[in-house]
Amino acid sequence: MADFRRALQEGRFVFFDGGMGTMLQARGLTAGVSPEVWCLSNPDVLKGIHLDYARAGANVLTTNTFGGTRFKMPADIDIADFNRAMANAARRAADEAGGNVFVAGSVGPTGHFLKPLGDLTFEELVEGYKEQMRGLVDGGVDLLLMETHFDIAELRAAIVAAREVCSLPVGASMTFENGVSLTGTSPEVFVETVANMGVDLVATNCSAGPEQMVAVVEQMLAVSPVPVLVMPNAGLPELDASGNTVFRLNPTSFAEQTRKFAEMGVRCMGGCCGTTPDHIAALCKAVADVPCKPVEDRSSGLVVTSRASLVRFGARYPVRIIGERINPTGKKQLISELQNGQFTTCMMFVQEQLDSYAPLLDVNVGAPMVDETVLLPELIQRIVAQHPVPLAVDTSNMDALEKALTVYPASPLVNSISGEPGRMERLGPLCRKYGAPFILLPLKGRKLPVAASERIAIIEELLAQADSLGIPRRLIMVDVLALAVSSKAEAARACLETVRYCTDTLGLPTTIGLSNISFGLPARGLLNSTFLTMAAASGLSSCIAHPGNARIREALAAAEVLLNRDPNAERFIADYAEWKPGNTAVIGGGVVSGGAATTAFEAVVKGDKDNVIDLIRKELEAGVTPFDVVNRMLIPAITEVGDKYERKEYFLPQLLRSAETMQHGFAHLKPMLEDEGGATVKPTIIMATVEGDIHDIGKNIVCLMLGNHGFNVVDLGKDVKAQTIVEAAAEHGAKLIGLSALMTTTMVRMQDTIDLLRERGMHDVKVMVGGAVVTQAFADAIGAHGYSLDAVAAVRLAQNLVAA
């Protein structure tokens, strides 16, 4: 088998193939029919398309398995057999074409979210992907390519599955709109997260034509340590006069626009929706005279990510405070709550530290009579559902750590791996597998290493062990081990020497448990802040401390100016212009959260589902009527959430959390509203994903938002025939229908419903449409009454159509 990794390292471009759906349509696939199932009965057609791409110059042929998991395929199809057959078809075409033509196993999204956003566990998703990938590997693919993913948590599960199935190269591709994925991940966060997992290739595909992808690709190239693949559409889909879906960007224009990526430093190029062998041939010709730039080492220290944000650690960056408050040591109330499975104080500490602008929070639930394997992942899920802040997972329980790594959606920091026997052997590969950076703790045996030379010797030994396990240095941060100067007078100097060695010789970021240095002495805050300034000057990257400590924040802010890491002292001036001795400045530049929810309105805006009922009860006890709670608090709150979503202040996870909170609060009030006889007639809307399409995430979100805005939503589900939709509208007296489609092959079925309504004389029923491939021009062409880009716009459109 040819070596795809070697091909990536050679000084030449690698060309991937183009779109599959439009090619199949041109050769007999009818609207509404699954491309995967159709190809089982037409293997020669599929092989012919693969051959055409290879002859056009494609070095990589992509299998027709984008929807080839148990979550999307018909129940009567054996998943492994199907993927094996599709891989075989591409393999035969590649071999017949001759030369080094590779086969990429296409692995698309399942259409489901992981918990708590969705209904699947990480383990269920991994098993589903492994089933698909075993078939692809057996069928002879050279690499696995995760395509068109929009949620970093699901993409992460697919990469883990690939690593459990085989050692083939892995490529990871996300699709972005307006610079972020559907769940709020930026190109930079995406690249750093999957780079931590050791992928061979990062990519972006679909959603736009070449010109609209430039900004995304620039961000990816700026941070990617591996080759970048770009696969644009041939523009956006339109409907021609005959009712056919077309892509207007011709091969020459596509090639001219895509050439820019080669000039920017992209190594791999291909096409997505609407592209054909002619597009790929034109692309190969267009870049023939462009020098293929080598992949630069763009590693920039250690990077911890959440679904929507990241924190960088290293000599080039400010010293980061890792919030230490979520730790039961010495906290009786917190211990008691954890023993009872409660998280009230934990979540209070989360909010408190975010209000102090902590960039990263350490999470520790280790206490007597606490099952960490249950509580640690539960608390992490709760935090990530409400806040975008990255987390450090702090536990000595290796089973609890593994469970936590499965529920965290991106790259957490693991605290920590020491020289304790067996710890590196188990946790090192675990961190490599899940792409989790970790703190290396130089402790081995019972003796504390006091001298810097002792600490450095243990660090070097643990690094050699990590190297032997294939753990990349980009995942390692060193704890320089603070010991109390009250008992070891030389301990502080040893820390500083160790910091300098790790920074200057090893090039590794460092951290320290700051408060340990002053244990047993008075004026501990004075000692801690002074030592922190000295450590920052020596190269310290971070400290584990209380982010609300004003003295520590002030010391770091001043140190950043003095170390020339605050250009023109801009941050310092902004935060401390009115500072006086003894006063605390209002600090900026972190994760803004705005304090804990104190009203029902704030509970919905913040997605505080746990406390919304109590806050509603307080309003009712204060004499506010149930109707006023709904009309003056809940509905304005969910409207504010929608505005934040449109302004890109919120993303899908926050939108869903707030919508669920609203729903939870309204369910509590509903019996009271009915008792007071105030139930009003709600406008009814019929919602459905059209025939042949089994994607319903977007439609489900729209249903949730419409329900929160006073609509009676009749959700018919997915793959629904036009006749069923129209009959449901008649049965429920609905004057509004909402249709969704994700694929170009199924979007044309939307017109079936519109035509049937006209045929039956139901002219007063209006139709609104939406979905990833749908555009305003398409909506106008089929006679729809409105088009919405997302769930928030869908609510506004539905309200306007009903009002009209």
Side-chain angles (χ1 to χ4, degrees):
M1 183 179 291
D3 187 344
F4 183 71
R5 286 193 177 98
R6 181 180 298 173
L8 285 178
Q9 295 168 2
E10 294 174 351
R12 59 180 180 177
F13 294 112
V14 177
F15 297 100
F16 281 63
D17 55 10
M20 178 60 72
T22 45
M23 292 294 293
L24 291 172
Q25 285 178 310
R27 302 192 187 190
L29 173 67
T30 55
V33 176
S34 162
E36 290 86 0
V37 174
W38 188 82
C39 285
L40 279 176
S41 304
N42 298 273
D44 291 339
V45 173
L46 177 60
K47 179 187 172 186
I49 293 172
H50 286 315
L51 268 173
D52 286 348
Y53 275 121
R55 290 165 179 159
N59 308 118
V60 183
L61 306 178
T62 310
T63 60
N64 182 43
T65 54
F66 180 75
T69 62
R70 66 173 73 160
F71 308 104
K72 286 188 173 181
M73 296 294 290
D76 60 342
I77 290 182
D78 184 288
I79 300 301
D81 284 348
F82 164 76
N83 282 276
R84 187 181 301 109
M86 296 295 100
N88 275 328
R91 179 82 269 158
R92 291 195 304 272
D95 293 344
E96 185 174 327
N100 285 333
V101 178
F102 302 95
V103 175
S106 173
V107 180
T110 62
H112 294 259
F113 284 120
L114 274 75
K115 293 180 178 180
L117 289 183
D119 56 350
L120 288 182
T121 66
F122 188 87
E123 293 81 4
E124 289 169 337
L125 197 52
V126 169
E127 284 306 310
Y129 276 131
K130 286 168 66 175
E131 184 179 35
Q132 177 185 25
M133 292 171 183
R134 289 190 189 101
L136 291 170
V137 173
D138 288 346
V141 301
D142 301 292
L143 67 145
L144 293 169
L145 180 61
M146 320 305 163
E147 285 194 287
T148 327
H149 283 263
F150 50 79
D151 181 28
I152 194 68
E154 181 179 20
L155 178 55
R156 190 166 165 266
I159 295 169
V160 167
R163 295 303 190 208
E164 291 187 3
V165 166
C166 66
S167 59
L168 291 175
V170 172
S173 183
M174 285 199 83
T175 184
F176 302 94
E177 292 187 23
N178 299 316
V180 291
S181 76
L182 180 65
T183 52
T185 299
S186 69
E188 184 181 17
V189 170
F190 153 62
V191 170
E192 295 291 9
T193 301
V194 299
N196 280 344
M197 300 184 77
V199 299
D200 301 272
L201 185 72
V202 295
T204 183
N205 74 299
C206 207
S207 79
E211 291 184 332
Q212 293 77 39
M213 282 187 170
V214 171
V216 166
V217 175
E218 285 176 339
Q219 292 180 57
M220 293 174 63
L221 285 170
V223 296
S224 178
V226 296
V228 173
L229 163 65
V230 182
M231 303 178 74
N233 291 344
L236 291 174
E238 300 176 22
L239 206 66
D240 66 12
S242 302
N244 299 314
T245 304
V246 296
F247 294 83
R248 299 294 187 187
L249 208 57
N250 63 42
T252 301
S253 299
F254 172 84
E256 289 173 351
Q257 293 180 21
T258 306
R259 172 190 163 101
K260 179 177 178 60
F261 299 128
E263 296 169 341
M264 292 165 60
V266 168
R267 297 288 297 277
C268 307
M269 290 162 286
C272 202
C273 299
T275 56
T276 67
D278 290 341
H279 288 79
I280 302 305
L283 175 60
C284 294
K285 183 179 179 181
V287 302
D289 62 339
V290 179
C292 185
K293 296 181 181 179
V295 177
E296 299 177 19
D297 182 6
R298 299 182 177 91
S299 299
S300 54
L302 180 143
V303 187
V304 179
T305 67
S306 69
R307 190 183 251 117
S309 64
L310 58 77
V311 181
R312 297 184 183 278
F313 296 85
R316 292 191 291 157
Y317 306 105
V319 176
R320 313 293 192 182
I321 299 177
I322 302 173
E324 67 177 2
R325 299 286 285 154
I326 310 170
N327 188 319
T329 303
K331 301 182 180 80
K332 291 183 180 180
Q333 181 178 343
L334 179 55
I335 292 173
S336 176
E337 287 185 7
L338 291 173
Q339 289 171 339
N340 291 303
Q342 299 171 342
F343 299 121
T344 303
T345 299
C346 285
M347 297 307 291
M348 181 189 74
F349 284 151
V350 170
Q351 193 68 60
E352 172 192 287
Q353 294 179 104
L354 294 182
D355 290 342
S356 297
Y357 302 101
L360 186 141
L361 304 183
D362 190 78
V363 181
N364 185 322
V365 298
M369 296 182 293
V370 169
D371 186 350
E372 288 190 68
T373 62
V374 175
L375 258 68
L376 185 60
E378 282 187 5
L379 177 57
I380 286 173
Q381 278 191 313
R382 186 164 299 199
I383 295 171
V384 301
Q386 296 187 39
H387 304 286
V389 62
L391 302 179
V393 184
D394 187 353
T395 179
S396 59
N397 185 318
M398 292 190 278
D399 293 331
L401 175 62
E402 183 162 14
K403 287 184 179 296
L405 291 177
T406 66
V407 301
Y408 189 82
S411 292
L413 179 66
V414 169
N415 187 6
S416 54
I417 300 180
S418 67
E420 178 187 342
R423 196 161 176 86
M424 178 66 79
E425 289 88 342
R426 180 175 176 191
L427 295 188
L430 207 61
C431 290
R432 182 189 64 209
K433 173 181 176 180
Y434 290 100
F438 63 89
I439 296 173
L440 187 150
L441 187 63
L443 286 176
K444 190 173 183 182
R446 297 179 178 230
K447 181 185 175 184
L448 287 174
V450 179
S453 59
E454 295 176 298
R455 303 178 194 200
I456 290 169
I458 297 174
I459 291 167
E460 291 284 14
E461 185 177 340
L462 291 177
L463 287 175
Q465 191 178 6
D467 290 343
S468 70
L469 293 169
I471 300 163
R473 293 286 177 98
R474 70 173 282 135
L475 296 183
I476 301 176
M477 173 190 290
V478 178
D479 188 331
V480 295
L481 199 62
L483 301 179
V485 293
S486 58
S487 59
K488 304 288 183 184
E490 69 274 36
R493 291 179 66 108
C495 277
L496 299 179
E497 288 181 42
T498 307
V499 168
R500 286 191 287 269
Y501 181 83
C502 291
T503 303
D504 299 337
T505 303
L506 299 177
L508 293 177
T510 50
T511 194
I512 192 169
L514 184 61
S515 62
N516 292 344
I517 206 79
S518 63
F519 182 79
L521 291 172
R524 295 185 67 187
L526 177 59
L527 278 172
N528 290 342
S529 60
T530 303
F531 173 74
L532 181 56
T533 304
M534 298 168 67
S538 297
L540 186 74
S541 307
S542 64
C543 64
I544 301 172
H546 185 353
N549 186 306
R551 186 181 289 274
I552 289 174
R553 295 204 311 261
E554 290 167 356
L556 282 181
E560 292 302 322
V561 174
L562 298 173
L563 292 171
N564 193 27
R565 293 194 301 223
D566 183 358
N568 301 314
E570 289 179 1
R571 292 195 302 271
F572 187 81
I573 291 170
D575 294 336
Y576 292 94
E578 300 181 12
W579 180 87
K580 293 182 177 66
N583 288 353
T584 301
V586 178
I587 310 300
V591 179
V592 180
S593 51
T598 57
T599 65
F601 176 92
E602 289 184 359
V604 172
V605 172
K606 294 175 181 293
D608 190 356
K609 185 178 177 181
D610 295 331
N611 293 311
V612 67
I613 301 300
D614 288 341
L615 291 170
I616 287 174
R617 287 184 181 132
K618 287 182 180 179
E619 301 290 355
L620 297 173
E621 290 167 2
V624 181
T625 68
F627 289 104
D628 282 345
V629 172
V630 172
N631 294 325
R632 297 184 181 179
M633 296 179 186
L634 301 189
I635 290 177
I638 200 67
T639 301
E640 171 67 14
V641 169
D643 292 341
K644 285 179 175 289
Y645 181 77
E646 289 193 322
R647 294 194 301 264
K648 298 299 179 184
E649 295 174 18
Y650 274 14
F651 297 98
L652 187 59
Q654 292 96 328
L655 181 70
L656 288 176
R657 182 77 181 181
S658 291
E660 289 170 356
T661 302
M662 165 85 172
Q663 202 172 47
H664 191 51
F666 185 79
H668 178 72
L669 290 168
K670 188 176 180 182
M672 305 176 207
L673 297 170
E674 292 174 347
D675 288 344
E676 292 188 16
T680 57
V681 178
K682 296 181 178 181
T684 296
I685 180 170
I686 307 297
M687 292 292 296
T689 301
V690 296
E691 183 180 1
D693 202 316
I694 57 173
H695 303 88
D696 63 355
I697 285 181
K699 185 258 304 170
N700 292 344
I701 296 167
V702 172
C703 289
L704 184 62
M705 292 295 291
L706 287 168
N708 282 338
H709 281 81
F711 283 84
N712 174 37
V713 181
V714 179
D715 185 1
L716 301 181
K718 53 194 176 185
D719 189 18
V720 185
K721 296 179 181 297
Q723 182 177 345
T724 304
I725 296 168
V726 172
E727 289 175 352
E731 177 186 349
H732 294 276
K735 301 303 180 186
L736 188 58
I737 293 172
L739 301 178
S740 174
L742 187 70
M743 302 186 298
T744 57
T745 55
T746 57
M747 61 191 279
V748 293
R749 304 312 291 263
M750 291 177 164
Q751 189 162 7
D752 297 349
T753 298
I754 295 170
D755 291 344
L756 189 56
L757 286 170
R758 290 171 179 163
E759 184 181 314
R760 297 192 179 183
M762 299 170 67
H763 302 294
D764 57 341
V765 180
K766 296 181 172 62
V767 177
M768 51 186 272
V769 297
V773 295
V774 180
T775 63
Q776 182 66 59
F778 174 80
D780 294 341
I782 64 174
H785 299 88
Y787 155 77
S788 65
L789 180 65
D790 54 40
V792 174
V795 171
R796 189 176 295 113
L797 173 62
Q799 291 170 331
N800 292 338
L801 289 174
V802 168

